[in-house]
Amino acid sequence: MAAKVVMKLGGGLITDKSSFKAPKKEIIDSICKEISKIISNGHTVILIHGAGSFGHLLAKEWSLAGGMNPEISEQQREAVIRVRSDMIELCGYVTNSLNLHGIKCEVFPPSDWAVGTGSNFNGDLAIFENVPKGTVPVSFGDVVIVGGEAEFGILSGDDLMARISLELSSVSHCVFLLGDVDGMMDMPPNVEGSKLIPIWRAGESVETAHNSEQDVTGGIELKAARASQISRGVNEVWFINGNHPERISQLIEEGTTIGTKILG
Ligand code: IP8
């Protein structure tokens, strides 16, 4: 059966989070190659990516997640413009690689169509459905307009994942590709003896110690919260190591792989 896969490339997977605007081009390439394989096998892919060092560093420096601060509003507004353009640049690395692998895509920057932050943001999600067959719609975490005095805020790619996975018709798989681990771990991944949790249920504790210091959105906790929300409407919700993109095909074709399956 043809799968409809909503996939997020984590910012820590496709960029070096500690170093300003450092894309990991080889990883991006290997994932795009895998996506082209998935598409040529007749499946549909909707692609979201995180910000990594193209978004979080400046967003943190200028406290963009908290909205407009009258004392530094001029610098913040400049930072908003820069982060938006940096995100388009990062997205360009992804779409160029998709194109090189023969995949057409259409980019929908949230600053063009979404208002508000968190999973209750407003925006017409039909744009992700109304692309020609074989074309991959692409979007990403971004700085968006918010109502009231805050003026702007950060919409995480994890929130896009939740709304897109639950509101588009018949999504079969929702896959979060992580940068440094095989899935959810029982202890920080750098601690000896830490083990992969193959099935994680909402309410179980989340190992948070490997949250990046640079993250202005919620790191693994936000991902876990969104993933369990999604698993109420989508059967196959997974955290998979993006350094092994072949695991995505294995999941689609064989029904399981190395990773964490999230249950609601
Ligand atoms: O990396 C954050 O998106 P995320 C977006 O998906 C920005 O949480 C601009 C920091």
Side-chain angles (χ1 to χ4, degrees), residues 131-253:
V131 295
K133 193 168 164 40
T135 295
V136 174
V138 182
S139 193
F140 43 80
D142 203 0
V143 189
V144 295
I145 294 173
V146 304
E149 286 174 7
E151 203 175 290
F152 50 77
I154 303 283
L155 177 62
S156 171
D158 294 334
D159 292 313
L160 293 172
M161 287 294 282
R163 292 285 299 281
I164 289 171
S165 302
L166 290 169
E167 289 177 36
L168 261 53
S169 66
S170 47
V171 171
S172 58
H173 296 73
C174 175
V175 175
F176 291 83
L177 291 180
L178 309 178
D180 49 356
V181 278
D182 281 341
M184 203 105 82
M185 308 300 281
D186 63 347
M187 285 188 284
N190 51 354
V191 170
E192 217 188 294
S194 81
K195 284 200 260 344
L196 174 69
I197 302 172
I199 294 179
W200 184 84
R201 286 178 181 80
E204 288 174 2
S205 68
V206 185
E207 179 286 299
T208 57
H210 78 283
N211 271 354
S212 158
E213 281 170 15
Q214 292 89 5
D215 239 15
V216 296
T217 48
I220 197 86
E221 281 162 283
L222 176 65
K223 243 181 261 308
R226 292 296 165 262
S228 64
Q229 192 181 337
I230 296 165
S231 66
R232 287 179 221 134
V234 177
N235 283 339
E236 299 296 333
V237 182
W238 285 74
F239 287 2
I240 291 177
N241 189 338
N243 295 292
H244 295 278
E246 71 285 354
R247 291 178 186 168
I248 314 167
S249 286
Q250 189 180 36
L251 171 65
I252 297 170
E253 305 305 336

